[in-house]
Amino acid sequence: MSEANWQVAGAEVDHGPYRPVAALIEEQADRTPGRTALVHRGETETTLTYAEFDALANGLAAELTSAGVRDGDFVPLLIGNSVELPLCMVALMKLGAVFVPCDPAWPEERLRTVLKVLDPPLSLTTGPVVRTDRPSRVVSHRTITPRTERPGPRPAAGRPVYGVFTSGTTGVPKCAVNLHGGLTNRFRFMSRHFGATGDEVVLQNSRHTFDSAIWQLLWPLTTGGRTIIPEQGEFLDLERTVDTIARYGVTVTDFVPAILGMLVALLEAEPAHVAEIASLRHLVVGGEEIIPHAVHRLRELVPGLGITNGYGPSEASIGMVFHRVDGTEGDHIPLGRPIDNCYAVIDGANADGIGEILIGGACLGAGYLGDPDRTAEAFVPNTSPGVPGERLYRTGDLGWFDDAGLLRFAGRRDRQAQVDGVRIELREIETTAEACPGVIQAKALTLRRSGRTRLVVAAASEEGTTPATLRGHLASVLPRIQVPQHCFVLQALPLTDNGKVDLRALRTIVEEKLESGAGTGPGSDPGGTAGPTRAERVAGVMGAVLGLPGFGVRDDFLDHGGDSLTALTAALRIRETLGLRVGISDLYAHRTPLALAAAVPDDRTPDTSTADDAALMERDAELPEELAASARRATGSRPAVPPRTVLVTGATGFVGARAVHRLLTATGARVVCVVRARDDAHAGLRLVEALRAQGLWDETMAGRLDARRGDLARARFGWTREVWESYADRCDAVLHIGALVNFLLDYRAHRPANVAGTVEVLRFALSGRAKALHHVSTLGVLDRQAARAGGRLGEDFDPTEAVPPTSGYSRSKWVAERLVLAAGRLGAPVTLYRLGEIMPAADNGVPNPKALTHLLLSAFLRLGLRPDVPMRSDYTPVDETAARLVAGLAEPAEGAVHHVFRDGGVDFAAIGLARGERTVPPAEFMAALRAAADEDEGSAAAVLAAVLTMLPASGRDGTPDFRRLLTDNPGLFTRDSCTALDARHGVREPPLEAALAAYRTTLTH
């Protein structure tokens, strides 16, 4: 470090007395023993409370002590995402031992090298035992004996806490060691930075071998929050990540920039996903240079989401420079300022103020385990006044401080590279490549292509060595993230005059080969047609995504550098440009354009998945034998009428909230609501918010309202057996309204919530004493059948005889009601309600923002246009619907079926919303709608445009047939049973004008 030319930033912040992280977790366990600490989403979901987690960590610590683990021992964790991963981390911290996350999937040679560096007393794994010459111990939370007695004494701040392996220039990986004090400082800073309240739900969204996974797993356990551990590898499956965020109400997580960019692409391509990540409040982006446009766009898509740019090497405690993005940064987002008690120094600055970034302070690690020479090279004496500590770490990054004192990034000093958030030594790849038989010399480099950093290796080799051979060798030795996307075999590498490899010339050669598509297969389909075939068009998209213009129809997408991120990009582009219904899994299953084009249908090709869905639906509609037996046992049962306690699903929805309100205001029943939430308290908040949003909440309702966290798609709603049995005993009836409704998704997407969920509801209704099941379905299950009937279809029509519906939602409800009716025929007490078009009520005009009719009328109002074709359906106010559901609950459930809709249809195209509205041809309306959707891809107009493109075309120009958008329910169905129900309970239909006027007021004001 130079003694004259430096600049420094950082400040001291008093966090109070030092506590090791394990002690902070113990203290939290003492404060909130019964609160959920972590959830692992594996094949079966596992949940641990704070008390359970602490007791298991204590028990595991005792077992490890007996096995010979001592203070200061380095212990590799050959464990993937699991409950055992944080348990092992905390147990070792309690003992003063050092945990080192490793991957059991690493090649055996790398594992042997890692174990040689660590020299551990044993390795920990979840099995099977990794084949090494070192002792291993299999850990399972199910076999640990919990203990309340905690190990002691607590490790000092300067003692090592964890190690992380980074790439090594000699081919030998380095273990960067970090300290207890640094980890505690980072966690306490995060609590202050994010304003921790204990309500944090943090998703582990980094590979378990990355140091960022450590804060995602352990920091929330110091605040009273909750850790969500996904299935192994899930963080690269963005659609699964989005689902996990929605399922658990995740509030905080981490993305590397490349994956964040793909997330934004997914959200823009499929706007329905935006609502699924609305729970996010804080996002940390780190690992490599941030992508500004992706960050700014995500902030637009998810208002209120705070995004922090994080910077820091593995040689420090996770990250030590933060910047909270505020939208003013434009295309150059800074690294930011050092966190509490950490410092950044610019050494050897040039005339532009750019120099090497050195770091120090509380975050600084201890160096590299067993490698004093490399430690001395990187950890240099501290001669900077005002920076505490004896040493600083040379990051190898170049940077400068701007006029606001913010640290900014200017590139790399050495030949390390950041790829998808991982720091990689290019020399390690070269050393490994040169060990491949036939390779004489190899050089690795990085290229920016399609917005991502790509690894490339070029090798001079003997005759007979192929790119596939070289890639296979690298894949057998290196972790997957370090395997280059592109491998080139050359007769010789270009040299400079002094005999060194000319890296600039080599880069030019590589780029030329990539542009020409060198190494790819034939670029045409064997069919010999005049225009490009479908396979050739798929190849063109894949090649564009991979940066290989010559990518051929027989080329393997994965072998040519494809991964889950490029697969998502390719799938989105293929959907958009070719009309093929492609998902990520399709690209992995059919890896060449020829195979994919043959396997995946488009809108003009018969869809073989339809037959598959038909077979699946028939299997799903078969009542499980254990439920059939329970239904038979329920024959002759007489649940209480009217019910004293009613369990309601879907209570936060448009119809569900009205039904809950009706139960609480028109009956004396106690209402139990199953609500997707992170815990029961959050379930209660969500329910109150839903009622308040419809203007229905009254504090006096709270005494008879019981909200329980639950998920219809999970066994027993995700409840413990004790909770399940308790509610099964006290409830008299079930009002099952809950369902996933998304007209853009297929049957398989709706199946978990709507079919499996109905099975669980049936299981609940038939558990213990039989309960009346009032099942809410849709007229959409029979609309195709009714259109063919030649007359209005009655309520007694057997849905098993119906033509299957078209939409994924209606198909799922068709299968669900067949299950319910089958149980009813065997003796279960059931009543079925098929709803029509549910609209706002006259008392407040509050709409269902997700309803197709609301999207349609909102578009009419926004555009000042409506298509000049009739769009008829019923207009059934939601309060009248809720009144009928509650009336049905007051009668014995004896298999009745009610068609719930208002007789006398309404032409939605003729509902006048504002003066000056023009009637135009459908093509003109669609053009205006698409323009509005392009302006705001997350708007209601964009969602409506996506739905309309799924309709059959009315002419050669492809304009959707608007007459088929809605269903004329009054013209297709009878409602005799519902009319009789109305008469028995005095349910009246006031003039519709009042409901229309209230809705019109809501829309226009």
Side-chain angles (χ1 to χ4, degrees):
M1 177 179 174
S2 69
E3 297 187 6
N5 195 11
W6 52 263
Q7 305 165 39
V8 64
E12 181 178 348
V13 177
D14 185 5
H15 289 160
Y18 159 74
R19 295 279 192 282
V21 167
L24 296 176
I25 295 173
E26 290 172 351
E27 291 164 6
Q28 188 60 51
D30 291 339
R31 287 192 292 270
T32 57
R35 181 179 292 180
T36 298
L38 61 83
V39 179
H40 174 226
R41 186 181 186 181
E43 292 183 4
T44 59
E45 186 174 281
T46 303
T47 300
L48 293 179
T49 66
Y50 274 85
E52 290 169 337
F53 180 85
D54 185 50
L56 288 172
N58 294 334
L60 179 57
E63 293 177 9
L64 295 178
T65 299
S66 300
V69 176
R70 298 290 181 265
D71 179 24
D73 283 342
F74 283 73
V75 179
L77 306 183
L78 298 168
I79 298 172
N81 289 2
S82 60
V83 170
E84 287 74 19
L85 182 60
L87 272 176
C88 289
M89 290 177 174
V90 175
L92 290 167
M93 286 195 291
K94 287 172 178 272
L95 294 177
V98 185
F99 67 85
V100 185
C102 300
D103 193 337
W106 282 344
E108 288 188 20
E109 180 61 34
R110 185 177 183 86
L111 285 175
R112 282 194 291 270
T113 301
V114 163
L115 294 176
K116 184 177 180 180
V117 171
L118 296 179
D119 190 24
L122 52 75
S123 301
L124 299 181
T125 183
T126 52
V129 174
V130 178
R131 291 182 296 172
T132 69
D133 56 358
R134 306 278 174 151
S136 294
R137 184 183 185 91
V138 176
V139 179
S140 171
H141 72 278
R142 295 180 178 86
T143 60
I144 299 170
T145 302
R147 294 169 62 102
T148 57
E149 182 181 354
R150 292 165 174 160
R154 294 172 175 173
R159 298 288 295 162
V161 59
Y162 72 88
V164 174
F165 274 97
T166 66
S167 187
T169 57
T170 64
V172 177
K174 302 176 291 188
C175 181
V177 179
N178 280 280
L179 306 176
H180 276 277
L183 191 61
T184 294
N185 185 74
R186 165 64 188 255
F187 283 11
R188 284 178 159 172
F189 163 77
M190 289 186 69
S191 296
R192 184 176 70 81
H193 180 78
F194 291 133
T197 63
D199 292 328
E200 294 76 32
V201 181
V202 181
L203 173 64
Q204 179 213 337
N205 199 37
S206 298
R207 281 187 175 92
H208 65 284
T209 53
F210 292 7
D211 58 356
S212 54
I214 296 172
W215 77 257
Q216 295 157 32
L217 288 166
L218 303 184
W219 170 66
L221 304 184
T222 69
T223 71
R226 178 177 305 179
T227 297
I228 306 299
I229 307 172
E231 294 180 77
Q232 186 69 22
E234 182 177 307
F235 74 97
L236 281 178
D237 184 343
L238 281 177
E239 291 175 320
R240 181 74 168 170
T241 299
V242 167
D243 176 71
T244 299
I245 291 170
R247 176 183 292 264
Y248 298 103
V250 171
T251 62
V252 185
T253 193
D254 182 291
F255 280 92
V256 296
I259 299 179
L260 180 76
M262 298 310 302
L263 173 67
V264 171
L266 174 65
L267 297 179
E268 290 182 326
E270 301 183 17
H273 283 316
V274 174
E276 296 183 79
I277 66 168
S279 62
L280 284 176
R281 292 293 173 265
H282 302 289
L283 199 64
V284 179
V285 182
E288 61 182 339
E289 194 169 3
I290 201 166
I291 304 173
H293 72 84
V295 170
H296 296 318
R297 179 59 178 146
L298 185 59
R299 293 180 74 245
E300 294 172 359
L301 291 170
V302 188
L305 173 62
I307 300 179
T308 296
N309 188 18
Y311 166 82
S314 298
E315 287 77 2
S317 293
I318 306 177
M320 43 73 62
V321 175
F322 271 32
H323 174 74
R324 197 189 303 270
V325 177
D326 62 14
T328 64
E329 299 88 353
D331 293 334
H332 302 283
I333 296 177
L335 300 179
R337 292 187 171 88
I339 69 172
D340 300 349
N341 305 305
C342 297
Y343 298 82
V345 175
I346 298 297
D347 180 46
N350 61 21
D352 296 321
I354 298 174
E356 184 179 3
I357 301 172
L358 280 66
I359 61 172
C363 62
L364 198 64
Y368 304 114
L369 180 63
D371 198 335
D373 292 340
R374 284 196 285 184
T375 297
E377 288 177 10
F379 291 78
V380 298
N382 176 17
T383 61
S384 176
V387 178
E390 297 180 356
R391 296 187 299 176
L392 298 175
Y393 171 71
R394 288 190 174 277
T395 66
D397 292 328
L398 299 176
W400 81 98
F401 290 113
D402 65 16
D403 293 340
L406 297 172
L407 181 63
R408 293 183 176 270
F409 179 71
R412 289 291 301 170
R413 179 179 62 86
D414 51 26
R415 296 198 61 233
Q416 291 180 339
Q418 293 275 1
V419 178
D420 290 346
V422 184
R423 184 154 54 93
I424 291 172
E425 290 277 4
L426 297 180
R427 184 55 193 153
E428 181 178 9
I429 297 173
E430 295 165 355
T431 302
T432 304
E434 288 166 356
C436 176
V439 171
I440 301 169
Q441 187 180 21
K443 284 295 176 184
L445 57 150
T446 61
L447 301 173
R448 290 291 290 181
R449 300 184 72 80
S450 302
R452 293 182 64 198
T453 300
R454 313 286 285 182
L455 276 173
V456 179
V457 66
S461 67
E462 301 170 354
E463 187 174 352
T465 303
T466 66
T469 302
L470 177 57
R471 182 178 175 83
H473 169 76
L474 293 170
S476 71
V477 178
L478 296 171
R480 184 173 59 182
I481 190 65
Q482 290 180 238
V483 177
Q485 284 80 21
H486 305 290
C487 298
F488 294 97
V489 173
L490 310 175
Q491 290 184 342
L493 300 181
L495 303 178
T496 62
D497 291 341
N498 61 9
K500 294 183 179 181
V501 175
D502 188 337
L503 291 177
R504 180 174 296 179
L506 180 61
R507 181 178 295 275
T508 300
I509 291 172
V510 166
E511 289 177 338
E512 288 175 352
K513 286 183 173 294
L514 287 173
E515 290 300 325
S516 67
T520 63
S524 61
D525 200 295
T529 55
T533 66
R534 186 163 72 169
E536 289 170 340
R537 295 172 68 197
V538 170
V541 173
M542 288 184 175
V545 170
L546 294 172
L548 297 173
F551 191 81
V553 296
R554 295 183 180 87
D555 288 336
D556 188 301
F557 180 77
L558 300 183
D559 283 351
H560 285 76
D563 55 23
S564 57
L565 295 180
T566 48
L568 176 60
T569 301
L572 293 173
R573 291 188 186 177
I574 290 170
R575 290 181 204 174
E576 179 182 348
T577 60
L578 276 72
L580 294 173
R581 294 186 286 273
V582 172
I584 295 176
S585 59
D586 295 314
L587 271 77
Y588 274 79
H590 312 289
R591 292 163 50 163
T592 69
L594 272 176
L596 185 66
V600 180
D602 65 10
D603 292 334
R604 298 165 298 281
T605 303
D607 187 355
T608 57
S609 67
T610 301
D612 295 338
D613 277 358
L616 178 61
M617 288 190 292
E618 288 304 313
R619 291 196 299 272
D620 287 346
E622 294 179 8
L623 191 67
E625 182 52 42
E626 78 274 12
L627 291 184
S630 297
R632 294 186 191 99
R633 288 194 295 270
T635 301
S637 60
R638 293 291 183 266
V641 176
R644 296 177 294 269
T645 302
V646 181
L647 182 134
V648 180
T649 69
T652 58
F654 187 59
V655 174
R658 272 285 178 170
V660 168
H661 178 263
R662 180 76 179 188
L663 280 166
L664 294 173
T665 56
T667 78
R670 182 172 180 80
V671 182
V672 179
C673 299
V674 182
V675 180
R676 285 186 60 177
R678 57 178 177 265
D679 52 33
D680 291 343
H682 184 224
L685 288 174
R686 286 200 62 214
L687 183 56
V688 170
E689 288 171 2
L691 290 165
R692 185 174 285 128
Q694 292 198 41
L696 306 175
W697 176 243
D698 187 321
E699 295 292 342
T700 61
M701 298 175 179
R704 289 192 287 125
L705 196 55
D706 182 3
R708 296 289 306 191
R709 177 193 66 84
D711 186 342
L712 297 180
R714 294 174 56 193
R716 298 197 305 269
F717 308 151
W719 293 352
T720 64
R721 187 174 300 279
E722 293 75 17
V723 171
W724 172 273
E725 292 176 350
S726 173
Y727 280 99
D729 182 62
R730 74 177 76 165
C731 290
D732 304 303
V734 179
L735 179 56
H736 179 36
I737 308 173
L740 170 66
V741 185
N742 190 318
F743 296 103
L744 300 177
L745 299 180
D746 60 9
Y747 171 73
R748 293 168 189 266
H750 285 91
R751 183 171 175 252
N754 298 0
V755 179
T758 298
V759 170
E760 288 307 301
V761 169
L762 266 170
R763 183 171 286 115
F764 178 83
L766 296 171
S767 294
R769 60 191 181 89
K771 292 159 282 296
L773 173 56
H774 294 258
H775 178 78
V776 177
S777 186
T778 170
L779 288 169
V781 304
L782 296 177
D783 56 2
R784 290 185 70 203
Q785 180 66 38
R788 300 182 180 192
R792 298 172 73 194
L793 202 65
E795 289 149 307
D796 58 352
F797 184 83
D798 185 353
T800 60
E801 303 297 326
V803 178
T806 302
S807 77
Y809 167 66
S810 293
R811 287 183 165 195
S812 68
K813 298 299 287 183
W814 178 58
V815 172
E817 73 168 56
R818 288 172 63 185
L819 289 166
V820 171
L821 293 176
R825 285 191 293 270
L826 294 173
V830 302
T831 299
L832 182 70
Y833 308 82
R834 296 191 186 112
L835 306 190
E837 202 64 59
I838 309 303
M839 300 298 294
D843 58 5
N844 58 22
V846 175
N848 177 3
K850 300 178 182 178
L852 178 58
T853 48
H854 179 67
L855 296 174
L856 189 68
L857 294 175
S858 297
F860 293 173
L861 182 64
R862 173 177 176 176
L863 302 176
L865 306 172
R866 61 178 185 265
D868 60 356
V869 295
M871 289 181 282
R872 296 193 64 82
S873 188
D874 64 293
Y875 191 114
T876 305
V878 65
D879 56 338
E880 296 175 14
T881 302
R884 290 171 176 128
L885 296 179
V886 173
L889 282 164
E891 296 187 346
E894 297 174 338
V897 178
H898 304 295
H899 287 173
V900 180
F901 63 90
R902 266 205 183 217
D903 247 336
V906 170
D907 182 359
F908 279 76
I911 296 177
L913 297 175
R915 292 179 180 178
E917 223 175 50
R918 292 190 299 116
T919 300
V920 297
E924 184 177 339
F925 177 82
M926 278 303 299
L929 182 66
R930 290 192 183 102
D934 290 341
E935 290 177 10
D936 185 355
E937 297 179 357
S939 66
V943 177
L944 178 62
V947 173
L948 291 176
T949 58
M950 300 174 67
L951 289 175
S954 60
R956 292 183 179 181
D957 62 357
T959 302
D961 187 350
F962 280 88
R963 291 169 297 185
R964 299 178 64 174
L965 181 61
L966 303 179
T967 301
D968 183 11
N969 293 319
L972 294 176
F973 299 99
T974 67
R975 61 184 303 276
D976 298 340
S977 180
C978 186
T979 300
L981 178 71
D982 288 353
R984 290 194 296 273
H985 295 272
V987 178
R988 294 179 296 117
E989 294 183 347
L992 195 57
E993 285 71 19
L996 286 167
Y999 185 27
R1000 187 180 293 111
T1001 299
T1002 301
L1003 283 172
T1004 56
H1005 293 85

